[in-house]
Structure formats: structure tokens, C-alpha cells
Amino acid sequence: WTWFKTKVTDFGRCWKKLGKDDPRRVIHSLKVGVAIALVSIFYYYQPLYENFGVSAMWAVMTVVVVFEFSVGATLGKGLNRGVATLVAGALGVGAHHLAKLSGSVGEPTLLGFFVFLQAAITTFMRFFPKIKARYDYGLLIFILTFSLVSVSGFREDEILELAHRRLTTIIIGASACVIISILFFPVWAGEDLHNLIALNMEKLGNFSQGFADEYFRASEEDEASSSKDEKSFLEDYKSVLNSKNAEESLANFARWEPGHGQFRFRHPWKQYLKVGTLTRQCAYRIEALYGYLNADVKASLEVRSKIQEVCTKISTESGKALKELSIAVKNMRQSSSSDIHIENAKTAAKNLNSLLKSDPWEDNVDLLQVIPVVTVASLLIDLVNCIEELADSIYE
Amino acid sequence: WTWFKTKVTDFGRCWKKLGKDDPRRVIHSLKVGVAIALVSIFYYYQPLYENFGVSAMWAVMTVVVVFEFSVGATLGKGLNRGVATLVAGALGVGAHHLAKLSGSVGEPTLLGFFVFLQAAITTFMRFFPKIKARYDYGLLIFILTFSLVSVSGFREDEILELAHRRLTTIIIGASACVIISILFFPVWAGEDLHNLIALNMEKLGNFSQGFADEYFRASEEDEASSSKDEKSFLEDYKSVLNSKNAEESLANFARWEPGHGQFRFRHPWKQYLKVGTLTRQCAYRIEALYGYLNADVKASLEVRSKIQEVCTKISTESGKALKELSIAVKNMRQSSSSDIHIENAKTAAKNLNSLLKSDPWEDNVDLLQVIPVVTVASLLIDLVNCIEELADSIYE
């Protein structure tokens, strides 16, 4: 019983957290509820019901299936569903008439063959990566509608009527979704993508700014005293490593969206994917750096301290540059201060290079001690190059 | 017109390639066609039609929506749909009866409220990551069925009959999908996951084996002469970096699958995800190494040659180890030869360490020249550690 109780409170806490993390989720749930209840009116309200009959349930179904979290996804699904129903309905009626010509024996055979053929071909088309990304749902509905219309045509002779009613109710359902999702607290996939890209850069910037402090921390004691909270922000970047899929699906949704806020209709969403890829390149470098933070054997303090100053400079300047770039992306404005930070980081990297050239450790320590430090240094220099490339792509 | 013609031939080539890359896609398309044509029999065959009436179309719909590429996905969707329909149907009937008690004025209001409430709550539940991964489709169908049953109940008084028919036809459709997808050339998500993990390791192994050759290539000319084909296998590893989502969804599907081939019903699929994550860790190291392959300024030949032998040893041995591990995973058998290769790689890494300790370049060259080489060396050592960890997790 206690087990049950803790489970329930855990569950409750989960709900609360989920809602707090993103209040738009709560609003979305309410919106879906409203949309479905609204469309149900078709059933309650007598005159409407007489027009559409049982077909009115297609409207309810459409709302349930089409209403997605973001406007772009809803629009995309709605358009896919509408167009696919129209095309498949027309073809279905055509197939039905063609089959009729072949007499009562040939009709079911021919219809079955048509259904088989279109299902097989359309299913295969769903494997094309490009088609899958944007029209997957439409193809599904195409198979569905074609099968339903051509097959039920075998029974009912009011086939045109059926196709027409199905189309009308689907349009009503889809419009209800689109209107509600745009009018009340819209969630724009484009905006989400925009923020995700900026946030990812900021996370990398945070790491970069914090890295040097953490790496050149004076003693082991210090390390223990640094609270876990402090360290956790150093792991934030990990989510960037696997953000590819999220970015791509958001970009696909965003393409369906009309202009909104600061975005025009044909905003260059592809550019965001490019920036995202470069951000991930930076993240891979940072992943490598991260490994040296927790290395079992850090280079001795003495060795590290020689390059502490320059490395700290590089690391903080790149961090600042990343954050400035993140802000620039967020405001869609060219920022000169990011250029300055990048320049600073590059100068520091050059200084580091020449410092290393002069062999600051001379022959006091063996090379083995120096290696990890040198690796860190060279990864940092590498990171600076990455960031520069990133900046170029942003200003394109 | 020529433009159109090239487009068409391009398209045809695309189709052919898609089918050749994975012939299972063609088979899958045919299977879907057969399943839909088969279920259409419900419409053609008189006695069956009389039993189910228009509801028979639910069977067609179920097939279209439920039939997925892998057995696991199909089973998961089928079960989700069946169970959700059952539960939502029961609750819908209950809600309908409850609403009836409140008289003709209260009924539509109360029903509307119920529909709104369940839609909002269920939509919110779909945001839980764990629920989303496995039961997303079930929740969608729950909303759908509940709305349809409770709302159409307002019209038809044969509500129980309706719910019953809907459930039966859905079960028929789902069973048809599951049976066809298992009996004829089944595509097991578990097997795919298994192969994907092994393949990813093999790709990393290929890179690792080829890396040293490429890096220590004697001259620029040689580089140009190496055909592009040869180099392309060095980029194969890139797909590993972003394989997380594919692995996770395959693992989710695999859980639904019954035992097949070498896999028991409750095969530890989670272990695969763990191995996959470690493989990706290795891939990140390799991404860093890759950067040094194409670096603008490679260290001079002289500098590189000093450590060529040991590095080549490390690199080929780790490559062999990865490939052995990949074979071990593929055959689900512990392989002693991978341990040997790992040991060899570790010994070579130790040798490299002591070689570096003795400072093979003495003071003939400046540190700056040495740095990239040393970084490569240390990344290789790092990679060996990663691989060891990976091997441990595989034999767990």
C-alpha cells in the first residue's frame, strides 16, 4: 500500500514537473480537448447531422489525428490529409468505374488488383527519405482513402456522395485544428528551431567559459568542494551531441508554417540545419576536452600552470564568442562583439602556439607529463577554428 | 521535355537503388498490398459483409495504419490499437450511460465535458517520454475511440453493438497484419538492432585500421593518387555519430517481438543501447582523429616517422579488436582473439608512452611541430581505453 502511495505521489510530481518544464504542453492539451469537443457539435446539432450523417465522425477522427504540438506539424498533416483524400478519392472513383465495365465477375478481381497495386506502390514510395520526411502521412491517407472508396463503392452506389462527404468532413476537421492551433497560443516549430539552435550554442559557450577554471583548478581539495551543481552545467553540452533528429524534424515542420513574428514564410530553415551541424562539430571537440577534465591522471599542477593563462584566455574568449553568436542568432542581428571575441581567441591561440614553440617546460619535465596538457591546448585551438567556421555560416 | 525525360529516368534509377539497397523494402510493399487486398474480402464476400456491415471498413483501416516495416513495430501498434479500443470502448459506453441519467438537456453538455476531459488528460500523458516511446499510438486511439463511441452513442442506441463490431473488426485487421508480417519474410527489429550495433563497430574498426596508413602516407603525391573510393570508407564512421535515435526506436520495437532465431523473448535489448552509447563514445574520438587527417598543416614527415611504427600498431590492433568485437556481437559468442588484440593495442600504447617519454625528437625540432603528432598519439591511446570499456560492456 505504501508502495502504491509513493508511486502515486511520484506520478503526481512527474505531471507537475512536465507541466512546469514547458507550460505550453498544458495549453496544448486543453486546445486539443476544446477542438474535439467543438467538432462533436456536428453530432449534437440536428441540421448539421442531417447533412452529413455518420460521416460526421470523420471530422472527429481528423481532429484527433491531425492536431499536433506545433503549428507547422498540424498544418503539414492537415494539408497532407486533405490533398491525399482528394486525389485518392478521385482515383478511387475512377478505379471503381473502370472495374464496373468488366462485369460482375471481373469487378471484384479487378478492384482487388487495383487496391493491391496502389498499396504496394505507395508503400514503397514511403521509403524515399525525402518523401518520408514531408509526405509520409499523406501517402498513408492516400492508401487508406483509395482502398475505402474503391472497395465500399462495390457496395454503395452513392460512391460520389460518400467521397464528397468524406472530403468535406475532413476539411472541416482539419480547418478546426489549424485555426485553433494558430489562434490560441500558437506553438511555432520555426521559433522552436530558432531557439534550439541558439540554446545549443549557449550551452557550448557555458562549457567553454567554465572549462579553463575547472581544468586549472589548483588542488584536489578545491575540486571536492566545488558543489555538484556547479559541475552539472559542464555536462549540458551533451544534449547537443544528439540534437540532429530534433533539428531536422523541426525544420520539416517549420517549412509548412506561414510567416509569423520575425520569420517570413520562406525563411531559410536549411541554413539553420547547417549551423546546427557546425555546432555539433564544436560539440564533438568539446566532448574530447571533457574527457581530459575527468582524466584519472591529470598532468601535474606545475606543468599545467605554464600555459594556464593563455588557455584560460582562449577558453573564456571562445565561450564569450559562442554566447555572442547565440545572441546574434536569437536576435537575427549581426553582432560585432562576437567578431571581437573570436579575434581575441585567435590571437590567444597564436600566443599559445608560440608559447609552445618556445617549449616553456624546457627539459625539466619529461614529454609524457606534457602530452595531455598539449593535447588540451591543441583541442582548444581546434575549437577556435570550428567556432570561426560557425560564425561564417551564421552571417551567410 | 528533355528535362522531364531525365527527371523520369532519374526517378526510375532512384527506385531501383532503393530496392537494391534493401530488397526487404520491395517485399514489405508487396506484403502490405496483399494484406489490404485480403481484408477487402470482408466487403466482397456476402455472408461476412452481412455480419459486420459498414464496420468492415475498420478492418481495412487497421491494416493500412498498423502494418509497419518490422514485426516489432507492427505488433506494438496492433496491441496498442486493440487494447486502447477495448478500454476506451468500455469507458465510452460507461460515459454514455452516465450522461443518459442526467436527462436530455444535461446529456450533450455532460458528454461534451467528458470528451474534453479525456482528450486533454490523454494528450498531456503523451508528453511523458517513457509513455511516448511505447504507448503513443495507443493513447491516440484511446482518444479517438472514446470520442467516437460516446459521441455516436448520442445518436445510435445500439452503442454496445457498435463498440463490439469496431473491436472485432480491428482485431481481425490487426491479426491479419501480424500474421502476414511474421509468416512471410519477417523483418525483425531486434535483428536489425543487433546488426546495426555490429555494423557500427565494424565501421569504426575499418577507420581505425585504415587511419595509420592514411596518416603516415609518405608524400603528398601518394595522397593524390589514392583514389576517392579508398578514402570514402574512412568517412563511413560518420553515420555512427548520429545513430542514437535509430537505435532507440529499434530497441523499442524489439521489445514487442516474440523470440525468434537466436533471440529469446526478453532479450536484454537495453544492453544493446549501452553498447551503442559506448560505440558512439569511440566514434567521437575518431571524429577528432579524422580532423587531423585533413589538417592543413600536417606535421613534417620526419617528425611523424618517429612514432609511425607504434602508432600504426595501435591503430591496426584497435581496428582488429573492434572488428573482432563486432563479430563477437554478431555471433553472440565471447571471442578470445578480441582480447588479444586489445592487449596488443594496450601494450603498443604503453610503448608509445615510453617512447614519448624518451623524447624521440630530442631537441632537433621545436615543440610546435610535434604537437599535432602527439595529439594524434594521445587520441589513439584514448581510443584504446574506450574500446576496452566497450569490450567489457559487451561481455557483461
Side-chain angles (χ1 to χ4, degrees):
Chain A
W1 175 243
T2 339
W3 173 84
F4 181 74
K5 218 167 157 184
T6 49
K7 273 276 161 185
V8 167
T9 47
D10 269 11
F11 197 60
R13 209 171 299 130
C14 239
W15 278 58
K16 227 176 175 175
K17 192 177 163 298
L18 211 62
K20 242 183 202 159
D21 278 358
D22 194 346
R24 298 181 304 174
R25 288 174 179 153
V26 182
I27 295 173
H28 171 70
S29 306
L30 295 178
K31 275 157 72 180
V32 173
V34 169
I36 294 178
L38 213 89
V39 170
S40 307
I41 288 182
F42 277 97
Y43 258 86
Y44 300 138
Y45 192 50
Q46 205 70 21
L48 279 178
Y49 182 69
E50 263 147 29
N51 255 340
F52 291 107
V54 201
S55 298
M57 83 179 169
W58 292 111
V60 178
M61 275 186 76
T62 304
V63 172
V64 175
V65 179
V66 164
F67 212 132
E68 292 274 333
F69 189 55
S70 66
V71 175
T74 309
L75 254 172
K77 266 195 154 177
L79 284 176
N80 261 313
R81 192 175 173 111
V83 172
T85 304
L86 184 67
V87 176
L91 284 178
V93 171
H96 174 67
H97 276 286
L98 212 70
K100 265 256 165 88
L101 295 178
S102 65
S104 65
V105 182
E107 190 177 348
T109 326
L110 208 57
L111 269 183
F113 177 71
F114 282 147
V115 168
F116 165 78
L117 199 69
Q118 64 87 18
I121 291 176
T122 316
T123 306
F124 190 72
M125 277 174 70
R126 290 174 71 194
F127 284 114
F128 286 94
K130 271 187 195 169
I131 294 181
K132 191 170 184 66
R134 298 196 67 185
Y135 307 112
D136 192 53
Y137 185 67
L139 291 176
L140 188 78
I141 294 298
F142 180 84
I143 305 181
L144 193 67
T145 307
F146 185 92
S147 309
L148 286 187
V149 167
S150 64
V151 161
S152 44
F154 185 56
R155 288 284 148 197
E156 301 175 39
D157 283 322
E158 310 151 308
I159 184 170
L160 269 177
E161 180 68 9
L162 176 86
H164 169 246
R165 271 199 307 225
R166 185 169 147 80
L167 188 64
T168 323
T169 44
I170 282 179
I171 288 174
I172 291 173
S175 323
C177 289
V178 170
I179 291 170
I180 290 181
S181 90
I182 291 183
L183 284 191
F184 306 101
F185 306 98
V187 175
W188 302 101
E191 212 177 295
D192 275 10
L193 176 63
H194 183 87
N195 292 336
L196 178 66
I197 298 279
L199 180 68
N200 279 349
M201 273 188 246
E202 202 189 313
K203 279 179 183 168
L204 297 190
N206 280 335
F207 178 91
S208 198
Q209 277 195 314
F211 173 75
D213 275 358
E214 189 68 29
Y215 186 73
F216 294 110
R217 196 176 287 284
S219 66
E220 288 297 315
E221 272 167 61
D222 256 22
E223 210 155 308
S225 75
S226 80
S227 66
K228 278 214 164 172
D229 268 15
E230 226 174 282
K231 275 193 169 175
S232 78
F233 83 90
L234 283 172
E235 296 193 354
D236 272 351
Y237 79 92
K238 285 200 186 274
S239 68
V240 181
L241 294 172
N242 290 309
S243 62
K244 187 171 186 253
N245 283 60
E247 283 168 17
E248 279 181 355
S249 65
L250 281 177
N252 271 325
F253 295 152
R255 284 202 202 155
W256 294 104
E257 290 176 352
H260 56 277
Q262 347 151 243
F263 308 101
R264 301 185 316 279
F265 170 48
R266 290 204 167 275
H267 199 72
W269 301 116
K270 272 200 177 165
Q271 198 61 32
Y272 281 90
L273 292 184
K274 222 162 147 191
V275 173
T277 308
L278 287 171
T279 309
R280 238 168 296 122
Q281 297 281 351
C282 289
Y284 296 144
R285 303 291 179 282
I286 282 182
E287 166 82 12
L289 279 176
Y290 183 78
Y292 286 95
L293 267 188
N294 299 313
D296 294 336
V297 200
K298 267 193 194 172
S300 73
L301 190 61
E302 189 191 356
V303 176
R304 277 186 279 156
S305 65
K306 290 277 183 188
I307 56 164
Q308 170 160 15
E309 201 183 325
V310 219
C311 280
T312 310
K313 180 91 180 161
I314 298 184
S315 157
T316 44
E317 287 296 333
S318 351
K320 278 182 193 160
L322 279 168
K323 281 183 165 176
E324 282 297 331
L325 285 175
S326 154
I327 293 171
V329 166
K330 208 159 207 162
N331 303 332
M332 297 208 271
R333 198 177 293 146
Q334 204 141 343
S335 115
S336 54
S337 59
S338 73
D339 288 341
I340 296 170
H341 287 304
I342 290 178
E343 274 315 311
N344 284 344
K346 275 167 76 181
T347 326
K350 255 178 219 152
N351 289 342
L352 179 58
N353 260 334
S354 45
L355 179 64
L356 290 174
K357 201 166 190 170
S358 67
D359 198 346
W361 299 281
E362 276 146 19
D363 294 323
N364 297 335
V365 283
D366 56 28
L367 193 57
L368 196 60
Q369 282 261 346
V370 177
I371 289 171
V373 181
V374 168
T375 313
V376 166
S378 106
L379 282 169
L380 278 173
I381 294 171
D382 211 19
L383 180 64
V384 174
N385 291 333
C386 259
I387 294 173
E388 208 188 346
E389 235 178 286
L390 181 63
D392 286 348
S393 85
I394 289 173
Y395 294 141
E396 220 168 61
Chain B
W1 173 244
T2 338
W3 173 84
F4 182 73
K5 217 168 157 185
T6 49
K7 273 275 160 186
V8 167
T9 47
D10 270 12
F11 197 60
R13 209 170 300 130
C14 238
W15 279 57
K16 227 175 176 177
K17 194 179 160 297
L18 211 62
K20 241 182 203 161
D21 278 358
D22 194 345
R24 297 180 304 174
R25 287 174 179 154
V26 181
I27 295 173
H28 172 70
S29 307
L30 296 179
K31 276 159 73 180
V32 172
V34 168
I36 293 178
L38 214 90
V39 169
S40 307
I41 289 183
F42 277 96
Y43 258 86
Y44 301 140
Y45 192 50
Q46 203 70 22
L48 279 178
Y49 182 69
E50 265 149 27
N51 254 340
F52 291 107
V54 201
S55 298
M57 81 178 170
W58 292 112
V60 179
M61 276 187 76
T62 304
V63 173
V64 175
V65 178
V66 164
F67 212 131
E68 292 274 334
F69 189 56
S70 66
V71 175
T74 310
L75 253 172
K77 266 196 155 179
L79 284 176
N80 262 313
R81 192 176 172 111
V83 172
T85 306
L86 184 68
V87 176
L91 284 179
V93 171
H96 176 66
H97 275 286
L98 212 68
K100 266 258 164 88
L101 295 178
S102 65
S104 65
V105 182
E107 192 178 347
T109 326
L110 208 57
L111 268 183
F113 176 72
F114 282 147
V115 168
F116 166 79
L117 198 69
Q118 64 87 19
I121 291 177
T122 316
T123 306
F124 190 73
M125 276 174 72
R126 290 175 71 194
F127 284 115
F128 286 95
K130 273 189 194 168
I131 293 180
K132 190 168 185 66
R134 301 196 66 185
Y135 307 110
D136 192 52
Y137 186 67
L139 291 177
L140 186 78
I141 294 299
F142 180 85
I143 305 181
L144 193 66
T145 307
F146 185 93
S147 309
L148 286 187
V149 168
S150 64
V151 161
S152 45
F154 184 57
R155 288 284 150 198
E156 301 175 37
D157 283 322
E158 310 152 308
I159 185 171
L160 268 176
E161 181 68 8
L162 176 86
H164 169 245
R165 273 200 306 225
R166 186 169 147 80
L167 188 63
T168 323
T169 45
I170 282 179
I171 288 174
I172 290 172
S175 322
C177 288
V178 170
I179 290 169
I180 289 180
S181 90
I182 291 183
L183 284 192
F184 306 102
F185 306 98
V187 175
W188 302 102
E191 213 175 293
D192 276 8
L193 176 62
H194 183 86
N195 292 337
L196 179 66
I197 297 278
L199 180 70
N200 279 349
M201 274 189 244
E202 203 189 312
K203 279 179 182 168
L204 297 190
N206 280 335
F207 178 91
S208 198
Q209 277 194 314
F211 173 74
D213 274 359
E214 190 68 28
Y215 187 71
F216 294 109
R217 198 177 287 283
S219 67
E220 288 297 313
E221 272 167 62
D222 257 25
E223 212 155 304
S225 75
S226 80
S227 67
K228 276 213 165 171
D229 268 16
E230 226 174 282
K231 275 194 167 173
S232 78
F233 83 90
L234 283 173
E235 296 192 354
D236 273 351
Y237 80 91
K238 285 200 185 273
S239 67
V240 181
L241 294 172
N242 290 309
S243 62
K244 186 170 187 251
N245 282 61
E247 283 168 17
E248 278 179 356
S249 66
L250 280 178
N252 271 324
F253 295 152
R255 285 202 200 155
W256 294 104
E257 291 176 352
H260 56 279
Q262 347 151 245
F263 309 101
R264 301 185 317 279
F265 170 48
R266 290 204 165 276
H267 199 72
W269 301 115
K270 273 201 176 163
Q271 197 62 32
Y272 280 90
L273 293 184
K274 221 163 149 190
V275 173
T277 308
L278 286 170
T279 309
R280 238 167 295 122
Q281 296 282 350
C282 288
Y284 295 144
R285 303 293 178 281
I286 282 181
E287 165 80 12
L289 279 175
Y290 184 78
Y292 286 95
L293 266 189
N294 298 314
D296 293 335
V297 200
K298 267 191 192 173
S300 73
L301 190 63
E302 190 191 356
V303 176
R304 278 186 276 156
S305 66
K306 290 278 182 189
I307 56 162
Q308 170 162 13
E309 201 184 325
V310 220
C311 279
T312 310
K313 180 92 179 158
I314 298 185
S315 160
T316 44
E317 287 295 334
S318 353
K320 279 183 191 160
L322 278 168
K323 280 182 164 177
E324 282 297 331
L325 286 175
S326 153
I327 293 171
V329 166
K330 207 159 207 161
N331 304 331
M332 297 207 270
R333 199 177 292 145
Q334 204 140 346
S335 114
S336 54
S337 58
S338 74
D339 288 341
I340 295 170
H341 288 303
I342 291 179
E343 273 315 310
N344 285 344
K346 276 166 76 182
T347 326
K350 255 179 218 151
N351 289 342
L352 178 59
N353 259 335
S354 45
L355 179 66
L356 291 175
K357 200 166 189 169
S358 67
D359 200 346
W361 300 282
E362 277 147 15
D363 295 323
N364 299 334
V365 283
D366 57 27
L367 193 55
L368 196 59
Q369 283 262 347
V370 178
I371 288 171
V373 181
V374 168
T375 312
V376 166
S378 107
L379 282 169
L380 277 173
I381 295 172
D382 211 19
L383 180 63
V384 174
N385 291 333
C386 259
I387 294 173
E388 208 187 347
E389 233 178 286
L390 180 62
D392 287 347
S393 85
I394 289 174
Y395 295 142
E396 220 168 60

